[in-house]
Amino acid sequence: MKLSPYLYISPFFILFAVTGLFPLGYTAFVSVHEWSLLGGQGDFVGLENFTFVLAQPTFWKALVNTLSIFVFSSVPQVVIAITIAALLDQNLRAATFWRMGVLIPYVVAPVAVSMIFGRLFADQYGLINAMLNTIGLDSIAWHGDRIASHVAIATMVNYRWMGYNALIFLAAMQAVPRDLYEAAVIDGAGRVRQFFSITVPQIRSTIIFVVITSTIGGLQIFDEVRLFDSIGLGGPDQNWMTTVVYMYDLAWGDQHSLGRASAVAWMLFILIVVIGLVNFLVTQRISSNAAVKKPKRKSTTGGNA
């Protein structure tokens, strides 16, 4: 009886150890060696691969690009997703249709999404620039301006994952006891007050989960960046090269250095852990402060309730 629960959950941890912990440890082993793509393992070099990567301006530019795209994608993504979930939680006609509709972008292949948004954000004949010209605004160099390219890539990320996160929030909202909302209505609380005083505190764990997963995915962005142009290496000036794309270029580009690429992978892992912990603490603090505050009301006997 004491052993059986551990046996039931052991398949997950065994699979995670094989597919997660072992590659992580092996990557650490590769990062301290001179490891060529063609020649294989070389001499032990210690932290030389890390110092080489940290001395490269391209790495720091890719890191800043990654953080910029992460901010433009993850923050609006979570805010809009929880808003959509709150709207879908209402008494809508054909509710199943609307709830399944927000999941459609998630099932579309990343290549198809990149092709569609590549046409939308084309510099010369893109639909977005055509709409801007119609209202008298100048065209935007989506592939020439650094910030503009980050916004375009973040838009692709938000399009793909917003509906997925909205359904996660919706599932959590539907588990909130309805009598809490009924009591809030009796006390005179409006929809906005109910959302911040009841919904947000009740789905705190789900918010933390979505924030952490969005952080992990946002800092590991690769597909949208790789397919944003024909070359796939972040543009001629690396204006939208991310850390993962830089790692890919180290391993499979001209250098063919798996040791340096592994060093980048481990630094990215540490960065994700640090930012994930910060997001966890901030999200937990914000959601904990949103407590249910019921206004005082007079009782029918003439006293104060």
Side-chain angles (χ1 to χ4, degrees):
M1 294 296 295
K2 294 182 179 180
L3 183 62
S4 58
Y6 298 98
L7 294 177
Y8 295 148
I9 64 175
S10 61
F12 167 78
F13 289 98
I14 294 174
L15 184 63
F16 174 73
V18 174
T19 61
L21 293 181
F22 173 74
L24 188 64
Y26 193 72
T27 301
F29 176 77
V30 175
S31 66
V32 294
H33 287 80
E34 184 68 32
W35 205 293
S36 172
L37 179 64
L38 300 177
Q41 180 179 354
D43 298 332
F44 176 81
V45 295
L47 299 179
E48 182 179 331
N49 290 326
F50 291 88
T51 56
F52 173 85
V53 171
L54 292 175
Q56 300 301 309
T58 305
F59 167 76
W60 293 106
K61 190 172 186 178
L63 182 60
V64 173
N65 293 340
T66 302
L67 295 176
S68 176
I69 296 174
F70 163 70
V71 172
F72 282 128
S73 60
S74 297
V75 176
Q77 181 184 141
V78 174
V79 174
I80 298 176
I82 196 171
T83 304
I84 294 176
L87 296 175
L88 294 176
D89 195 33
Q90 308 302 317
N91 294 325
L92 300 175
R93 292 183 178 180
T96 303
F97 169 79
W98 297 111
R99 292 170 183 175
M100 295 301 297
V102 298
L103 193 61
I104 292 178
Y106 174 71
V107 301
V108 178
V111 176
V113 174
S114 299
M115 291 179 62
I116 294 172
F117 279 85
R119 301 295 184 272
L120 292 176
F121 290 103
D123 292 342
Q124 297 182 356
Y125 304 104
L127 179 61
I128 304 298
N129 280 338
M131 296 174 62
L132 293 176
N133 295 334
T134 302
I135 60 178
L137 298 178
D138 296 332
S139 299
I140 298 177
W142 299 107
H143 292 76
D145 184 76
R146 189 178 184 184
I147 300 299
S149 63
H150 296 178
V151 173
I153 295 173
T155 304
M156 288 189 282
V157 177
N158 291 333
Y159 173 78
R160 283 196 63 206
W161 293 98
M162 195 177 300
Y164 175 82
N165 290 328
L167 288 185
I168 295 179
F169 284 130
L170 177 61
M173 290 179 183
Q174 290 183 331
V176 177
R178 296 300 163 178
D179 56 351
L180 296 178
Y181 295 104
E182 296 173 359
V185 171
I186 295 175
D187 288 340
R191 291 291 181 88
V192 177
R193 179 65 179 276
Q194 294 177 31
F195 176 78
F196 286 103
S197 297
I198 298 177
T199 304
V200 173
Q202 290 292 320
I203 64 171
R204 180 179 63 180
S205 58
T206 304
I207 294 176
I208 295 174
F209 169 78
V210 172
V211 168
I212 292 177
T213 54
S214 298
T215 300
I216 296 173
L219 295 177
Q220 291 181 335
I221 181 174
F222 178 79
D223 294 342
E224 291 80 2
V225 178
R226 178 72 175 164
L227 298 172
F228 191 60
D229 68 336
S230 58
I231 300 177
L233 292 178
D237 297 325
Q238 289 82 39
N239 283 335
W240 61 87
M241 171 183 277
T242 59
T243 309
V244 178
V245 176
Y246 176 68
M247 177 180 64
Y248 173 87
D249 186 45
L250 284 177
W252 304 97
D254 296 333
Q255 300 187 38
H256 298 294
S257 177
L258 295 181
R260 295 171 181 174
S262 299
V264 175
W266 251 92
M267 286 188 285
L268 179 61
F269 169 74
I270 296 174
L271 178 65
I272 291 174
V273 171
V274 172
I275 296 181
L277 289 176
V278 172
N279 283 341
F280 171 76
L281 296 176
V282 172
T283 307
Q284 189 179 41
R285 180 69 177 271
I286 294 175
S287 56
S288 298
N289 291 335
V292 178
K293 298 180 180 179
K294 296 183 179 181
K296 293 183 178 180
R297 57 189 175 90
K298 294 182 178 181
S299 64
T300 56
T301 59
N304 290 333

